[in-house]
Amino acid sequence: MINFVMDLIFPGDSIPIPQTAEKGLKLGPGLIHVPETQSIVSTKVGVLGKNKKGNQLWVESNATRYSPAGQEPVIGVVIGRNSDGYRIDIGGAHTASLDALAFESATKRNRPNIKVGALVYARVSLAHKDMEPELECFDATTRKAEGFGELKGGFLTKCSLGLCRRLFDPTYFLLPTLGSKFPMEVVIGVNGRVWVKTPELRHTIAIARCIEAVDEQQLDQEKTKRFLNSLDVV
């Protein structure tokens, strides 16, 4: 569940720490921790978003450039490779690195062979303003893949960072609406990328067009259903 405090915040605004937050408070894009004052400060204009537990905060906006934050899931494109790992485009100001051993059960003798141009679903393991982001393709708790790794086949579409975060909310209408009409696999990266795979290409294209329409035209559930019906692919 994602909640939003609908007051607009601006760069430099101090953000109160939720009472429900434990020591593991995680800050997403648009927020920084100031050690000198032990406060959280906004770095951009937007709406404050938080998860149900209150232990994760970020600034919701319609920005298209992703600012990496630790533990966030992203979809990246492999743009380079060497003996140690891969260079990954995650839509940020800098490319990220993915170690060849940062996969479930990977060893020096048994490593994945991912080609340039492939898509990977990964978790941001390191995000710091003075260092390049680092990625891992396994869950931080279980050390299992848990869905992370190379994404084979399918189609990649892009949308705003705000819509991507809303897609993680199970009460948000879009994915349930699409799922009621098409059998599909969907992977969401908070970096403004959504991977879609269906048994039929025309359904994949319809889903991608629908996601783009909801993002660009701010469609509600009823308008989304009408848009889907207008595509005549159901």
PDB file of all heavy atoms in Angstrom, residues 126-160:
ATOM      1  N   LEU A 126      23.898  -0.504  -3.909  1.00  0.00           N
ATOM      2  CA  LEU A 126      24.671   0.646  -3.441  1.00  0.00           C
ATOM      3  C   LEU A 126      24.275   1.871  -4.235  1.00  0.00           C
ATOM      4  O   LEU A 126      24.275   1.854  -5.466  1.00  0.00           O
ATOM      5  CB  LEU A 126      26.179   0.393  -3.602  1.00  0.00           C
ATOM      6  CG  LEU A 126      27.100   1.571  -3.251  1.00  0.00           C
ATOM      7  CD1 LEU A 126      26.997   1.886  -1.756  1.00  0.00           C
ATOM      8  CD2 LEU A 126      28.542   1.277  -3.640  1.00  0.00           C
ATOM      9  N   ALA A 127      23.914   2.935  -3.517  1.00  0.00           N
ATOM     10  CA  ALA A 127      23.561   4.207  -4.165  1.00  0.00           C
ATOM     11  C   ALA A 127      24.139   5.337  -3.323  1.00  0.00           C
ATOM     12  O   ALA A 127      23.740   5.532  -2.177  1.00  0.00           O
ATOM     13  CB  ALA A 127      22.044   4.342  -4.284  1.00  0.00           C
ATOM     14  N   HIS A 128      25.084   6.062  -3.903  1.00  0.00           N
ATOM     15  CA  HIS A 128      25.735   7.168  -3.204  1.00  0.00           C
ATOM     16  C   HIS A 128      26.062   8.243  -4.226  1.00  0.00           C
ATOM     17  O   HIS A 128      26.471   7.935  -5.354  1.00  0.00           O
ATOM     18  CB  HIS A 128      26.997   6.683  -2.496  1.00  0.00           C
ATOM     19  CG  HIS A 128      27.591   7.692  -1.554  1.00  0.00           C
ATOM     20  ND1 HIS A 128      28.362   8.747  -1.977  1.00  0.00           N
ATOM     21  CD2 HIS A 128      27.502   7.808  -0.205  1.00  0.00           C
ATOM     22  CE1 HIS A 128      28.735   9.477  -0.945  1.00  0.00           C
ATOM     23  NE2 HIS A 128      28.227   8.931   0.151  1.00  0.00           N
ATOM     24  N   LYS A 129      25.894   9.491  -3.827  1.00  0.00           N
ATOM     25  CA  LYS A 129      26.074  10.587  -4.785  1.00  0.00           C
ATOM     26  C   LYS A 129      27.491  10.659  -5.341  1.00  0.00           C
ATOM     27  O   LYS A 129      27.707  11.197  -6.425  1.00  0.00           O
ATOM     28  CB  LYS A 129      25.711  11.918  -4.131  1.00  0.00           C
ATOM     29  CG  LYS A 129      26.591  12.292  -2.945  1.00  0.00           C
ATOM     30  CD  LYS A 129      26.193  13.643  -2.369  1.00  0.00           C
ATOM     31  CE  LYS A 129      27.107  14.025  -1.200  1.00  0.00           C
ATOM     32  NZ  LYS A 129      26.744  15.344  -0.643  1.00  0.00           N
ATOM     33  N   ASP A 130      28.473  10.138  -4.607  1.00  0.00           N
ATOM     34  CA  ASP A 130      29.855  10.215  -5.049  1.00  0.00           C
ATOM     35  C   ASP A 130      30.377   8.908  -5.639  1.00  0.00           C
ATOM     36  O   ASP A 130      31.570   8.794  -5.925  1.00  0.00           O
ATOM     37  CB  ASP A 130      30.749  10.622  -3.875  1.00  0.00           C
ATOM     38  CG  ASP A 130      30.416  12.015  -3.354  1.00  0.00           C
ATOM     39  OD1 ASP A 130      30.086  12.878  -4.185  1.00  0.00           O
ATOM     40  OD2 ASP A 130      30.455  12.221  -2.128  1.00  0.00           O
ATOM     41  N   MET A 131      29.502   7.909  -5.803  1.00  0.00           N
ATOM     42  CA  MET A 131      29.918   6.620  -6.342  1.00  0.00           C
ATOM     43  C   MET A 131      28.907   6.130  -7.373  1.00  0.00           C
ATOM     44  O   MET A 131      27.728   6.498  -7.319  1.00  0.00           O
ATOM     45  CB  MET A 131      30.038   5.591  -5.211  1.00  0.00           C
ATOM     46  CG  MET A 131      31.028   5.971  -4.121  1.00  0.00           C
ATOM     47  SD  MET A 131      31.040   4.796  -2.752  1.00  0.00           S
ATOM     48  CE  MET A 131      31.682   3.329  -3.573  1.00  0.00           C
ATOM     49  N   GLU A 132      29.380   5.317  -8.310  1.00  0.00           N
ATOM     50  CA  GLU A 132      28.458   4.773  -9.292  1.00  0.00           C
ATOM     51  C   GLU A 132      27.548   3.742  -8.620  1.00  0.00           C
ATOM     52  O   GLU A 132      27.964   3.041  -7.699  1.00  0.00           O
ATOM     53  CB  GLU A 132      29.206   4.124 -10.453  1.00  0.00           C
ATOM     54  CG  GLU A 132      29.955   2.869 -10.085  1.00  0.00           C
ATOM     55  CD  GLU A 132      30.596   2.197 -11.284  1.00  0.00           C
ATOM     56  OE1 GLU A 132      30.616   2.798 -12.370  1.00  0.00           O
ATOM     57  OE2 GLU A 132      31.077   1.062 -11.126  1.00  0.00           O
ATOM     58  N   PRO A 133      26.301   3.649  -9.068  1.00  0.00           N
ATOM     59  CA  PRO A 133      25.380   2.671  -8.469  1.00  0.00           C
ATOM     60  C   PRO A 133      25.863   1.244  -8.721  1.00  0.00           C
ATOM     61  O   PRO A 133      26.471   0.958  -9.751  1.00  0.00           O
ATOM     62  CB  PRO A 133      24.056   2.939  -9.196  1.00  0.00           C
ATOM     63  CG  PRO A 133      24.209   4.274  -9.843  1.00  0.00           C
ATOM     64  CD  PRO A 133      25.664   4.432 -10.133  1.00  0.00           C
ATOM     65  N   GLU A 134      25.569   0.371  -7.772  1.00  0.00           N
ATOM     66  CA  GLU A 134      25.864  -1.048  -7.926  1.00  0.00           C
ATOM     67  C   GLU A 134      24.573  -1.849  -7.826  1.00  0.00           C
ATOM     68  O   GLU A 134      23.682  -1.505  -7.045  1.00  0.00           O
ATOM     69  CB  GLU A 134      26.859  -1.516  -6.860  1.00  0.00           C
ATOM     70  CG  GLU A 134      28.229  -0.880  -7.002  1.00  0.00           C
ATOM     71  CD  GLU A 134      29.222  -1.391  -5.966  1.00  0.00           C
ATOM     72  OE1 GLU A 134      28.850  -2.322  -5.203  1.00  0.00           O
ATOM     73  OE2 GLU A 134      30.349  -0.875  -5.907  1.00  0.00           O
ATOM     74  N   LEU A 135      24.488  -2.918  -8.621  1.00  0.00           N
ATOM     75  CA  LEU A 135      23.287  -3.737  -8.690  1.00  0.00           C
ATOM     76  C   LEU A 135      23.590  -5.167  -8.277  1.00  0.00           C
ATOM     77  O   LEU A 135      24.725  -5.640  -8.372  1.00  0.00           O
ATOM     78  CB  LEU A 135      22.713  -3.741 -10.117  1.00  0.00           C
ATOM     79  CG  LEU A 135      22.479  -2.392 -10.797  1.00  0.00           C
ATOM     80  CD1 LEU A 135      21.968  -2.613 -12.216  1.00  0.00           C
ATOM     81  CD2 LEU A 135      21.496  -1.543 -10.005  1.00  0.00           C
ATOM     82  N   GLU A 136      22.537  -5.871  -7.845  1.00  0.00           N
ATOM     83  CA  GLU A 136      22.612  -7.301  -7.560  1.00  0.00           C
ATOM     84  C   GLU A 136      21.345  -7.962  -8.084  1.00  0.00           C
ATOM     85  O   GLU A 136      20.276  -7.339  -8.082  1.00  0.00           O
ATOM     86  CB  GLU A 136      22.744  -7.566  -6.061  1.00  0.00           C
ATOM     87  CG  GLU A 136      24.064  -7.112  -5.469  1.00  0.00           C
ATOM     88  CD  GLU A 136      24.135  -7.301  -3.959  1.00  0.00           C
ATOM     89  OE1 GLU A 136      23.068  -7.470  -3.325  1.00  0.00           O
ATOM     90  OE2 GLU A 136      25.255  -7.280  -3.420  1.00  0.00           O
ATOM     91  N   CYS A 137      21.464  -9.205  -8.513  1.00  0.00           N
ATOM     92  CA  CYS A 137      20.312  -9.933  -9.040  1.00  0.00           C
ATOM     93  C   CYS A 137      19.881 -11.044  -8.082  1.00  0.00           C
ATOM     94  O   CYS A 137      19.683 -12.197  -8.474  1.00  0.00           O
ATOM     95  CB  CYS A 137      20.605 -10.499 -10.425  1.00  0.00           C
ATOM     96  SG  CYS A 137      20.554  -9.241 -11.719  1.00  0.00           S
ATOM     97  N   PHE A 138      19.777 -10.697  -6.804  1.00  0.00           N
ATOM     98  CA  PHE A 138      19.199 -11.615  -5.828  1.00  0.00           C
ATOM     99  C   PHE A 138      18.618 -10.801  -4.687  1.00  0.00           C
ATOM    100  O   PHE A 138      18.949  -9.636  -4.497  1.00  0.00           O
ATOM    101  CB  PHE A 138      20.225 -12.638  -5.311  1.00  0.00           C
ATOM    102  CG  PHE A 138      21.496 -12.032  -4.784  1.00  0.00           C
ATOM    103  CD1 PHE A 138      21.535 -11.375  -3.565  1.00  0.00           C
ATOM    104  CD2 PHE A 138      22.674 -12.143  -5.517  1.00  0.00           C
ATOM    105  CE1 PHE A 138      22.713 -10.832  -3.080  1.00  0.00           C
ATOM    106  CE2 PHE A 138      23.860 -11.593  -5.035  1.00  0.00           C
ATOM    107  CZ  PHE A 138      23.874 -10.938  -3.811  1.00  0.00           C
ATOM    108  N   ASP A 139      17.719 -11.420  -3.934  1.00  0.00           N
ATOM    109  CA  ASP A 139      17.078 -10.758  -2.808  1.00  0.00           C
ATOM    110  C   ASP A 139      18.077 -10.564  -1.675  1.00  0.00           C
ATOM    111  O   ASP A 139      18.844 -11.475  -1.353  1.00  0.00           O
ATOM    112  CB  ASP A 139      15.880 -11.582  -2.333  1.00  0.00           C
ATOM    113  CG  ASP A 139      15.115 -10.903  -1.220  1.00  0.00           C
ATOM    114  OD1 ASP A 139      14.213 -10.096  -1.513  1.00  0.00           O
ATOM    115  OD2 ASP A 139      15.421 -11.188  -0.047  1.00  0.00           O
ATOM    116  N   ALA A 140      18.042  -9.400  -1.038  1.00  0.00           N
ATOM    117  CA  ALA A 140      19.015  -9.095   0.009  1.00  0.00           C
ATOM    118  C   ALA A 140      18.847  -9.985   1.231  1.00  0.00           C
ATOM    119  O   ALA A 140      19.815 -10.274   1.936  1.00  0.00           O
ATOM    120  CB  ALA A 140      18.894  -7.631   0.416  1.00  0.00           C
ATOM    121  N   THR A 141      17.628 -10.460   1.490  1.00  0.00           N
ATOM    122  CA  THR A 141      17.353 -11.256   2.686  1.00  0.00           C
ATOM    123  C   THR A 141      17.590 -12.745   2.448  1.00  0.00           C
ATOM    124  O   THR A 141      18.286 -13.415   3.214  1.00  0.00           O
ATOM    125  CB  THR A 141      15.909 -11.043   3.157  1.00  0.00           C
ATOM    126  OG1 THR A 141      15.694  -9.651   3.398  1.00  0.00           O
ATOM    127  CG2 THR A 141      15.629 -11.822   4.433  1.00  0.00           C
ATOM    128  N   THR A 142      17.017 -13.262   1.363  1.00  0.00           N
ATOM    129  CA  THR A 142      17.076 -14.705   1.114  1.00  0.00           C
ATOM    130  C   THR A 142      18.289 -15.137   0.308  1.00  0.00           C
ATOM    131  O   THR A 142      18.615 -16.326   0.276  1.00  0.00           O
ATOM    132  CB  THR A 142      15.815 -15.155   0.368  1.00  0.00           C
ATOM    133  OG1 THR A 142      15.799 -14.539  -0.943  1.00  0.00           O
ATOM    134  CG2 THR A 142      14.548 -14.743   1.119  1.00  0.00           C
ATOM    135  N   ARG A 143      18.930 -14.189  -0.383  1.00  0.00           N
ATOM    136  CA  ARG A 143      20.036 -14.471  -1.297  1.00  0.00           C
ATOM    137  C   ARG A 143      19.605 -15.331  -2.473  1.00  0.00           C
ATOM    138  O   ARG A 143      20.429 -15.904  -3.185  1.00  0.00           O
ATOM    139  CB  ARG A 143      21.208 -15.154  -0.568  1.00  0.00           C
ATOM    140  CG  ARG A 143      21.634 -14.483   0.717  1.00  0.00           C
ATOM    141  CD  ARG A 143      22.238 -13.123   0.498  1.00  0.00           C
ATOM    142  NE  ARG A 143      23.543 -13.188  -0.143  1.00  0.00           N
ATOM    143  CZ  ARG A 143      24.318 -12.122  -0.379  1.00  0.00           C
ATOM    144  NH1 ARG A 143      23.888 -10.918  -0.038  1.00  0.00           N
ATOM    145  NH2 ARG A 143      25.499 -12.248  -0.958  1.00  0.00           N
ATOM    146  N   LYS A 144      18.286 -15.434  -2.668  1.00  0.00           N
ATOM    147  CA  LYS A 144      17.727 -16.162  -3.809  1.00  0.00           C
ATOM    148  C   LYS A 144      17.353 -15.162  -4.907  1.00  0.00           C
ATOM    149  O   LYS A 144      17.188 -13.973  -4.664  1.00  0.00           O
ATOM    150  CB  LYS A 144      16.491 -16.954  -3.386  1.00  0.00           C
ATOM    151  CG  LYS A 144      16.748 -17.989  -2.304  1.00  0.00           C
ATOM    152  CD  LYS A 144      17.652 -19.105  -2.796  1.00  0.00           C
ATOM    153  CE  LYS A 144      17.821 -20.176  -1.740  1.00  0.00           C
ATOM    154  NZ  LYS A 144      18.723 -21.271  -2.195  1.00  0.00           N
ATOM    155  N   ALA A 145      17.188 -15.682  -6.112  1.00  0.00           N
ATOM    156  CA  ALA A 145      16.896 -14.807  -7.247  1.00  0.00           C
ATOM    157  C   ALA A 145      15.592 -14.043  -7.054  1.00  0.00           C
ATOM    158  O   ALA A 145      15.506 -12.841  -7.351  1.00  0.00           O
ATOM    159  CB  ALA A 145      16.841 -15.625  -8.534  1.00  0.00           C
ATOM    160  N   GLU A 146      14.545 -14.732  -6.586  1.00  0.00           N
ATOM    161  CA  GLU A 146      13.254 -14.085  -6.311  1.00  0.00           C
ATOM    162  C   GLU A 146      12.765 -13.244  -7.485  1.00  0.00           C
ATOM    163  O   GLU A 146      12.230 -12.153  -7.319  1.00  0.00           O
ATOM    164  CB  GLU A 146      13.356 -13.206  -5.067  1.00  0.00           C
ATOM    165  CG  GLU A 146      13.814 -13.906  -3.810  1.00  0.00           C
ATOM    166  CD  GLU A 146      12.780 -14.867  -3.231  1.00  0.00           C
ATOM    167  OE1 GLU A 146      11.657 -14.931  -3.766  1.00  0.00           O
ATOM    168  OE2 GLU A 146      13.107 -15.555  -2.241  1.00  0.00           O
ATOM    169  N   GLY A 147      12.980 -13.740  -8.708  1.00  0.00           N
ATOM    170  CA  GLY A 147      12.518 -13.021  -9.895  1.00  0.00           C
ATOM    171  C   GLY A 147      13.559 -12.123 -10.531  1.00  0.00           C
ATOM    172  O   GLY A 147      13.398 -11.680 -11.683  1.00  0.00           O
ATOM    173  N   PHE A 148      14.648 -11.825  -9.819  1.00  0.00           N
ATOM    174  CA  PHE A 148      15.709 -10.992 -10.389  1.00  0.00           C
ATOM    175  C   PHE A 148      16.543 -11.800 -11.373  1.00  0.00           C
ATOM    176  O   PHE A 148      16.705 -13.007 -11.239  1.00  0.00           O
ATOM    177  CB  PHE A 148      16.617 -10.448  -9.279  1.00  0.00           C
ATOM    178  CG  PHE A 148      15.957  -9.449  -8.375  1.00  0.00           C
ATOM    179  CD1 PHE A 148      15.752  -9.726  -7.037  1.00  0.00           C
ATOM    180  CD2 PHE A 148      15.520  -8.225  -8.870  1.00  0.00           C
ATOM    181  CE1 PHE A 148      15.147  -8.810  -6.199  1.00  0.00           C
ATOM    182  CE2 PHE A 148      14.914  -7.295  -8.049  1.00  0.00           C
ATOM    183  CZ  PHE A 148      14.725  -7.584  -6.704  1.00  0.00           C
ATOM    184  N   GLY A 149      17.085 -11.093 -12.368  1.00  0.00           N
ATOM    185  CA  GLY A 149      17.917 -11.749 -13.362  1.00  0.00           C
ATOM    186  C   GLY A 149      17.583 -11.256 -14.757  1.00  0.00           C
ATOM    187  O   GLY A 149      16.933 -10.213 -14.933  1.00  0.00           O
ATOM    188  N   GLU A 150      18.025 -12.004 -15.760  1.00  0.00           N
ATOM    189  CA  GLU A 150      17.769 -11.604 -17.146  1.00  0.00           C
ATOM    190  C   GLU A 150      16.293 -11.756 -17.486  1.00  0.00           C
ATOM    191  O   GLU A 150      15.645 -12.744 -17.119  1.00  0.00           O
ATOM    192  CB  GLU A 150      18.605 -12.442 -18.108  1.00  0.00           C
ATOM    193  CG  GLU A 150      18.459 -12.021 -19.558  1.00  0.00           C
ATOM    194  CD  GLU A 150      19.323 -12.810 -20.515  1.00  0.00           C
ATOM    195  OE1 GLU A 150      20.026 -13.748 -20.055  1.00  0.00           O
ATOM    196  OE2 GLU A 150      19.303 -12.509 -21.725  1.00  0.00           O
ATOM    197  N   LEU A 151      15.756 -10.775 -18.193  1.00  0.00           N
ATOM    198  CA  LEU A 151      14.377 -10.815 -18.684  1.00  0.00           C
ATOM    199  C   LEU A 151      14.425 -11.227 -20.152  1.00  0.00           C
ATOM    200  O   LEU A 151      14.949 -10.479 -20.991  1.00  0.00           O
ATOM    201  CB  LEU A 151      13.701  -9.441 -18.535  1.00  0.00           C
ATOM    202  CG  LEU A 151      13.557  -8.920 -17.104  1.00  0.00           C
ATOM    203  CD1 LEU A 151      13.015  -7.490 -17.117  1.00  0.00           C
ATOM    204  CD2 LEU A 151      12.650  -9.827 -16.281  1.00  0.00           C
ATOM    205  N   LYS A 152      13.888 -12.384 -20.449  1.00  0.00           N
ATOM    206  CA  LYS A 152      13.977 -12.918 -21.804  1.00  0.00           C
ATOM    207  C   LYS A 152      12.650 -12.733 -22.532  1.00  0.00           C
ATOM    208  O   LYS A 152      11.586 -13.006 -21.999  1.00  0.00           O
ATOM    209  CB  LYS A 152      14.358 -14.398 -21.758  1.00  0.00           C
ATOM    210  CG  LYS A 152      15.722 -14.632 -21.108  1.00  0.00           C
ATOM    211  CD  LYS A 152      16.090 -16.102 -21.083  1.00  0.00           C
ATOM    212  CE  LYS A 152      17.458 -16.316 -20.433  1.00  0.00           C
ATOM    213  NZ  LYS A 152      17.854 -17.738 -20.399  1.00  0.00           N
ATOM    214  N   GLY A 153      12.761 -12.285 -23.782  1.00  0.00           N
ATOM    215  CA  GLY A 153      11.559 -12.037 -24.569  1.00  0.00           C
ATOM    216  C   GLY A 153      10.836 -10.811 -24.058  1.00  0.00           C
ATOM    217  O   GLY A 153      11.403  -9.931 -23.416  1.00  0.00           O
ATOM    218  N   GLY A 154       9.531 -10.744 -24.319  1.00  0.00           N
ATOM    219  CA  GLY A 154       8.733  -9.645 -23.806  1.00  0.00           C
ATOM    220  C   GLY A 154       9.016  -8.325 -24.494  1.00  0.00           C
ATOM    221  O   GLY A 154       9.702  -8.244 -25.520  1.00  0.00           O
ATOM    222  N   PHE A 155       8.489  -7.273 -23.908  1.00  0.00           N
ATOM    223  CA  PHE A 155       8.579  -5.937 -24.493  1.00  0.00           C
ATOM    224  C   PHE A 155       8.769  -4.925 -23.372  1.00  0.00           C
ATOM    225  O   PHE A 155       8.126  -5.016 -22.327  1.00  0.00           O
ATOM    226  CB  PHE A 155       7.290  -5.623 -25.273  1.00  0.00           C
ATOM    227  CG  PHE A 155       7.260  -4.249 -25.894  1.00  0.00           C
ATOM    228  CD1 PHE A 155       7.897  -4.012 -27.102  1.00  0.00           C
ATOM    229  CD2 PHE A 155       6.588  -3.210 -25.275  1.00  0.00           C
ATOM    230  CE1 PHE A 155       7.871  -2.744 -27.683  1.00  0.00           C
ATOM    231  CE2 PHE A 155       6.548  -1.948 -25.851  1.00  0.00           C
ATOM    232  CZ  PHE A 155       7.196  -1.717 -27.058  1.00  0.00           C
ATOM    233  N   LEU A 156       9.643  -3.961 -23.589  1.00  0.00           N
ATOM    234  CA  LEU A 156       9.919  -2.933 -22.578  1.00  0.00           C
ATOM    235  C   LEU A 156       9.242  -1.628 -22.967  1.00  0.00           C
ATOM    236  O   LEU A 156       9.434  -1.119 -24.070  1.00  0.00           O
ATOM    237  CB  LEU A 156      11.421  -2.702 -22.451  1.00  0.00           C
ATOM    238  CG  LEU A 156      11.847  -1.694 -21.377  1.00  0.00           C
ATOM    239  CD1 LEU A 156      11.572  -2.241 -19.978  1.00  0.00           C
ATOM    240  CD2 LEU A 156      13.324  -1.349 -21.529  1.00  0.00           C
ATOM    241  N   THR A 157       8.449  -1.091 -22.042  1.00  0.00           N
ATOM    242  CA  THR A 157       7.850   0.217 -22.256  1.00  0.00           C
ATOM    243  C   THR A 157       8.280   1.143 -21.132  1.00  0.00           C
ATOM    244  O   THR A 157       8.669   0.689 -20.055  1.00  0.00           O
ATOM    245  CB  THR A 157       6.304   0.133 -22.320  1.00  0.00           C
ATOM    246  OG1 THR A 157       5.770   1.405 -22.689  1.00  0.00           O
ATOM    247  CG2 THR A 157       5.710  -0.283 -20.974  1.00  0.00           C
ATOM    248  N   LYS A 158       8.217   2.431 -21.387  1.00  0.00           N
ATOM    249  CA  LYS A 158       8.650   3.413 -20.396  1.00  0.00           C
ATOM    250  C   LYS A 158       7.484   4.285 -19.955  1.00  0.00           C
ATOM    251  O   LYS A 158       6.545   4.515 -20.720  1.00  0.00           O
ATOM    252  CB  LYS A 158       9.773   4.287 -20.975  1.00  0.00           C
ATOM    253  CG  LYS A 158      11.025   3.517 -21.337  1.00  0.00           C
ATOM    254  CD  LYS A 158      12.106   4.441 -21.884  1.00  0.00           C
ATOM    255  CE  LYS A 158      13.361   3.660 -22.247  1.00  0.00           C
ATOM    256  NZ  LYS A 158      14.434   4.553 -22.782  1.00  0.00           N
ATOM    257  N   CYS A 159       7.554   4.760 -18.717  1.00  0.00           N
ATOM    258  CA  CYS A 159       6.536   5.669 -18.201  1.00  0.00           C
ATOM    259  C   CYS A 159       7.177   6.546 -17.134  1.00  0.00           C
ATOM    260  O   CYS A 159       8.365   6.413 -16.835  1.00  0.00           O
ATOM    261  CB  CYS A 159       5.330   4.904 -17.650  1.00  0.00           C
ATOM    262  SG  CYS A 159       5.716   3.807 -16.270  1.00  0.00           S
ATOM    263  N   SER A 160       6.395   7.439 -16.550  1.00  0.00           N
ATOM    264  CA  SER A 160       6.936   8.325 -15.523  1.00  0.00           C
ATOM    265  C   SER A 160       7.296   7.534 -14.270  1.00  0.00           C
ATOM    266  O   SER A 160       6.757   6.457 -14.006  1.00  0.00           O
ATOM    267  CB  SER A 160       5.914   9.414 -15.174  1.00  0.00           C
ATOM    268  OG  SER A 160       4.793   8.838 -14.518  1.00  0.00           O
TER     269      SER A 160
END
